[in-house]
Amino acid sequence: MAVDLLGGDDAPAVVVDGALRAVRADPDLHLLLVGPTEVAVAVTAALTPAQRARVAVRAARAVPGPAHHAPRADSTVRAAVAAVRDGTADALVSAGSTGATVTAAALGLGRWADVRQPALVATLPAVSGPVVLLDVGGSLEPRPATLVRHALLGAAYAAVAHAVAAPRVGLLSVGTEAGKGDRPRRAADPQLAAARLPCGARYVGLVEGYDVATGARADVVVTDGFTGNVLLKAIEGAYMMAGGPPVGGGTPRAAALLGVAGTVVVCHGAAEADDVASGIALAAHLWRRGTTDRVRALLDGAAQHPPPSDSNDTEVTA
Amino acid sequence: MAVDLLGGDDAPAVVVDGALRAVRADPDLHLLLVGPTEVAVAVTAALTPAQRARVAVRAARAVPGPAHHAPRADSTVRAAVAAVRDGTADALVSAGSTGATVTAAALGLGRWADVRQPALVATLPAVSGPVVLLDVGGSLEPRPATLVRHALLGAAYAAVAHAVAAPRVGLLSVGTEAGKGDRPRRAADPQLAAARLPCGARYVGLVEGYDVATGARADVVVTDGFTGNVLLKAIEGAYMMAGGPPVGGGTPRAAALLGVAGTVVVCHGAAEADDVASGIALAAHLWRRGTTDRVRALLDGAAQHPPPSDSNDTEVTA
């Protein structure tokens, strides 16, 4: 797992702390710390020799550029992307600005040919199981074709990453009756009803804001990245107001990026050490399940559950 | 207060019950029940003679048309709008479909000349005072000019309806740094920074989803009706998950419609009797404060707090 030591509002301190927790918690985890050597030393110095053997360092300086701009050539997130591209690392974790990380990953690893807008996928624990919400900020403009693509990605992700059988997929809108919503939603609704979804997923129609928190109507909730982002943070704010999330519930502090040729996890910009550690754990979970390749294969209409070793990089275009 | 007896998913039962509670709770309240006579009788029969003297009935049949279509000529919400227009009632309360109510009010009472999209305004109690969120479903498409207009409406409403001094006005987006957001937000942000807001309000820039629930950054949160609607319901879902809203907090079940020439309150479609009663109480509160006329006057740059009697109907265009 390549970890961007300089990503996030409170880097490098919380990233160092999060990396330490992750290494100690998972005895099979290997980290590649990407950032200034003196910061990486703060991690390795705090580990036992056995733990230290699982940590490597790739020196890199400077910080990601501003959101929606390509990061600077020497930025740590770009160096971490390069480590994934050249096979030194299996996955990338950054709490850097979402825009910079998404851009670096799309440019450095390549988008899937049929995915115009990579999606950030957040998983919320709910009463009856996880709720997969996408997009939460990978792209911001709502387009019907992007919403339909998100439905395919989300259904495959729910099945592969969370073992949800026959996921129910809903389109977030302002009411459940057909015809409710703004123009992109009204255009996407019939397209989704006609779409062939992977993993036995079925489209259940329009769902509302409640359903994101409760999971009552859908396992996968599809929306644009602007709406998903503000909604996720609103739920977080509500739990803060209510004195904390329900037991076993809450909002995730890390999200997976789907639609690029690699395993990429973006932590909350205001991540704390625990959030960074859980982002690293998520990346490890996704990689061990071969999530990226299996989701890609499902979208290609290939075998339902090919093992990760069946993945074929030639399917991926830059 | 004209009450649409047939508005809402569970009409007329919950509306009858809500009207009863409202009449009993407020000895100064007069209701005009608009709907089938046999339903109105269910209200009046349950009241004392003194209470009954404060209740009148206007017979009307049929239900509002589907969302985003003009209601049918004989619909109860249109009859209730007519009662406000002809002065029989001071305000209108409906739990009918938002689209039908907004359309009936805009057509029957007239929109303000400079308001293209009337806004539904919801007030959330937060730690440091109320948070005014708009739009929560009056219109659905985000346009920069509409967002700027919402800021003016929201600032005036916070000052008049909730006595918020010098309201802080924020624009909902995916981050707080300038430049964050989708195209409508990026266009509206500098326009808002340059706008002259009423009531000493100041624009505080971009705010995030958390701020709607917590109120930490802004007293007025401006967004489009699609985002506001799903966000409000997501917060509601989160409170359901958390075992209930915080003490003194929660989400409103009724919203005020701003931008039409009259006092209109829309209750949640899934309103229960308490929600209808609180919608009626909100309408009475708004009318007693002369909210509509004072907000209108503030937008005209007129005297800061003219009494309701100063309102001039010739300013209103149909």
Side-chain angles (χ1 to χ4, degrees):
Chain A
M1 304 293 120
V3 177
D4 173 6
L5 287 172
L6 295 186
D9 301 344
D10 300 312
V14 299
V15 183
V16 166
D17 200 2
L20 283 173
R21 293 182 199 202
V23 169
R24 289 168 180 153
D26 182 347
D28 296 323
L29 185 73
H30 288 71
L31 290 190
L32 177 66
L33 306 174
V34 183
T37 312
E38 66 273 20
V39 175
V41 164
V43 178
T44 52
L47 295 171
T48 66
Q51 290 166 341
R52 205 174 301 143
R54 294 189 277 115
V55 175
V57 177
R58 180 174 286 202
R61 302 226 151 250
V63 295
H68 305 299
H69 292 81
R72 276 171 267 159
D74 53 352
S75 83
T76 50
V77 71
R78 184 156 168 177
V81 165
V84 173
R85 191 181 49 223
D86 66 24
T88 310
D90 296 316
L92 151 68
V93 179
S94 178
S97 91
T98 302
T101 307
V102 172
T103 303
L107 293 178
L109 303 176
R111 282 177 302 177
W112 292 344
D114 48 355
V115 173
R116 182 172 166 179
Q117 304 286 0
L120 270 177
V121 187
T123 303
L124 295 88
V127 178
S128 54
V131 175
V132 168
L133 174 68
L134 75 169
D135 182 11
V136 299
S139 64
L140 297 178
E141 311 296 338
R143 294 187 185 91
T146 302
L147 295 170
V148 173
R149 179 57 53 183
H150 289 351
L152 299 173
L153 288 171
Y157 183 84
V160 171
H162 301 300
V164 177
R168 300 164 298 159
V169 178
L171 176 64
L172 186 66
S173 194
V174 297
T176 56
E177 307 91 337
K180 288 274 187 184
D182 58 1
R183 263 184 233 117
R185 267 34 80 154
R186 293 201 306 273
D189 182 37
Q191 291 178 30
L192 280 164
R196 195 172 153 269
L197 298 173
C199 307
R202 65 182 197 283
Y203 178 58
V204 298
L206 304 180
V207 299
E208 296 182 274
Y210 324 102
D211 300 302
V212 177
T214 68
R217 271 206 187 91
D219 306 302
V220 178
V221 175
V222 171
T223 191
D224 63 280
F226 181 87
T227 306
N229 185 288
V230 297
L231 184 118
L232 193 62
K233 290 172 179 169
I235 293 173
E236 220 176 305
Y239 287 146
M240 280 192 254
M241 287 288 287
V247 176
T251 49
R253 306 277 289 180
L257 184 67
L258 287 186
V260 298
T263 302
V264 177
V265 167
V266 179
C267 299
H268 209 291
E272 297 178 9
D274 271 344
D275 305 322
V276 173
S278 77
I280 294 170
L282 173 62
H285 170 81
L286 296 176
W287 184 77
R288 286 167 183 156
R289 288 209 173 211
T291 305
T292 302
D293 294 330
R294 289 168 70 191
V295 167
R296 170 72 274 183
L298 284 164
L299 260 65
D300 287 337
Q304 287 290 303
H305 293 291
S309 59
D310 284 355
S311 75
N312 181 350
D313 277 344
T314 61
E315 289 172 5
V316 173
T317 61
Chain B
M1 303 294 120
V3 177
D4 172 7
L5 288 173
L6 295 186
D9 301 344
D10 300 312
V14 299
V15 183
V16 166
D17 200 2
L20 283 173
R21 293 182 198 202
V23 169
R24 288 168 180 155
D26 182 347
D28 296 324
L29 185 74
H30 288 70
L31 291 190
L32 177 67
L33 306 174
V34 182
T37 312
E38 67 272 20
V39 175
V41 165
V43 178
T44 52
L47 295 171
T48 66
Q51 290 166 341
R52 205 174 301 145
R54 294 188 278 116
V55 175
V57 177
R58 180 174 285 203
R61 302 228 150 248
V63 296
H68 306 299
H69 293 82
R72 276 172 267 159
D74 53 351
S75 83
T76 49
V77 71
R78 185 156 166 177
V81 165
V84 174
R85 191 180 49 222
D86 66 25
T88 310
D90 296 316
L92 152 67
V93 179
S94 178
S97 92
T98 302
T101 307
V102 172
T103 303
L107 293 178
L109 303 175
R111 280 177 303 176
W112 292 344
D114 48 354
V115 173
R116 181 172 169 178
Q117 305 285 358
L120 270 176
V121 187
T123 302
L124 295 87
V127 177
S128 55
V131 174
V132 168
L133 174 68
L134 76 168
D135 181 11
V136 298
S139 66
L140 296 178
E141 311 296 339
R143 292 187 187 90
T146 302
L147 294 170
V148 173
R149 179 57 52 183
H150 288 351
L152 299 172
L153 288 170
Y157 184 84
V160 171
H162 301 301
V164 177
R168 300 164 299 160
V169 178
L171 176 64
L172 186 65
S173 194
V174 298
T176 56
E177 307 91 337
K180 287 274 187 186
D182 59 1
R183 263 184 234 116
R185 268 32 82 154
R186 294 201 304 275
D189 181 38
Q191 291 177 31
L192 280 163
R196 195 173 152 268
L197 299 174
C199 305
R202 65 182 196 283
Y203 178 59
V204 297
L206 304 181
V207 299
E208 297 182 272
Y210 324 102
D211 301 302
V212 177
T214 68
R217 271 207 187 90
D219 306 302
V220 177
V221 175
V222 171
T223 192
D224 62 281
F226 182 87
T227 306
N229 185 289
V230 297
L231 186 118
L232 193 62
K233 290 172 178 169
I235 294 173
E236 220 176 305
Y239 286 146
M240 280 191 254
M241 287 287 287
V247 176
T251 49
R253 306 278 289 180
L257 184 67
L258 286 186
V260 299
T263 301
V264 178
V265 167
V266 179
C267 299
H268 208 290
E272 296 178 9
D274 272 344
D275 306 321
V276 172
S278 77
I280 294 170
L282 172 62
H285 170 81
L286 295 176
W287 184 78
R288 285 167 183 156
R289 288 209 174 211
T291 306
T292 302
D293 294 330
R294 290 168 69 191
V295 168
R296 170 72 274 182
L298 285 164
L299 260 64
D300 287 338
Q304 289 288 303
H305 294 290
S309 57
D310 284 354
S311 76
N312 181 349
D313 278 343
T314 61
E315 290 172 4
V316 172
T317 61

